[in-house]
Amino acid sequence: MASALAGALKKYDMVVDLVATLADADEAVSSNAYGAILLDRQLPDGDGLTLIAKLRRRGLSVPVIVLTARGELVERVAGLDSGADDYLGKPFAIEELLARLRAVLRRPAEMPPETVRLGRLSFDLGNREASVDGAPLDLPRRELLVLETLLRRMGRTVARSSLEEAVYSIDDEIQSNALDTHVSRLRRKLSEARAEVEIHGIRGVGYLLKHSR
């Protein structure tokens, strides 16, 4: 089920890392920055709720949605009291899960406004759609993820490692120049659309998105 769910989320342009145990999940969260966590309760090495308590003790506020067949009221209360942001019982529709993901990712303390604008470029974070002066800008999935990540941190340099984490899952094989290729193609399309934004490469560090003047 976890593999099927990961595959479904990837079809909605989400980068997904899939792990099977609490130990692997703890290691993944310790070495990567995630926008949200989907967490089952019945895992081979324990109750998923124990991971939430551990994350909160470390001061990590990453949103967690618990997915479980244990959907009774007392179980839901236990999940929310443990620090979960939402609790979804199985079975569930992928559309409802996507709506709940969008909801936890929209929190003002965690994320920018729903629509980000720079120059003539607009990006709808909820629907992941880019446009220039209202005209849709058609981008492949990974170029779209690069643009979204740069826009969320516009005016600041984004490290290569952060961009790679946003664009690729831990199971993807990444060619040495793959990220540069995506950035180059995105830069060209933004220029052709006259979006009035520029992507600057910061040697040895990463990339910076700015309004062109």
Side-chain angles (χ1 to χ4, degrees), residues 16-33:
V16 181
D17 289 342
L18 173 62
V19 295
T21 67
L22 285 170
D24 289 343
D26 193 10
E27 182 178 350
V29 175
S30 297
S31 57
N32 298 281

Side-chain angles (χ1 to χ4, degrees), residues 116 118 143-159 163 166 183 186 190 198-200 206-210:
V116 178
L118 183 66
E143 290 175 30
L144 194 69
L145 290 169
V146 169
L147 179 59
E148 178 181 0
T149 304
L150 291 173
L151 278 168
R152 288 184 184 277
R153 307 178 195 178
M154 68 174 113
R156 293 179 288 167
T157 301
V158 181
L163 273 173
V183 171
L186 175 60
L190 290 171
E198 294 178 346
I199 302 175
H200 297 272
Y207 293 94
L208 171 70
L209 183 69
K210 296 178 62 178

Side-chain angles (χ1 to χ4, degrees), residues 56-83:
R56 300 307 183 232
R57 284 196 300 270
R58 292 181 196 162
L60 296 176
S61 58
V62 55
V64 178
I65 300 178
V66 175
L67 307 178
T68 180
R70 296 160 63 175
E72 298 82 4
L73 176 60
V74 64
E75 300 288 358
R76 296 199 303 272
V77 170
L80 296 171
D81 283 346
S82 72

Side-chain angles (χ1 to χ4, degrees), residues 107-158:
R107 293 179 176 174
E110 302 290 334
M111 307 298 286
E114 188 72 9
T115 299
V116 178
R117 294 180 176 84
L118 183 66
R120 297 167 59 196
L121 174 70
S122 296
F123 195 101
D124 183 332
L125 296 170
N127 295 313
R128 279 189 166 158
E129 294 175 348
S131 60
V132 176
D133 286 345
L137 184 63
D138 188 23
L139 298 172
R141 171 176 171 269
R142 284 181 170 150
E143 290 175 30
L144 194 69
L145 290 169
V146 169
L147 179 59
E148 178 181 0
T149 304
L150 291 173
L151 278 168
R152 288 184 184 277
R153 307 178 195 178
M154 68 174 113
R156 293 179 288 167
T157 301
V158 181

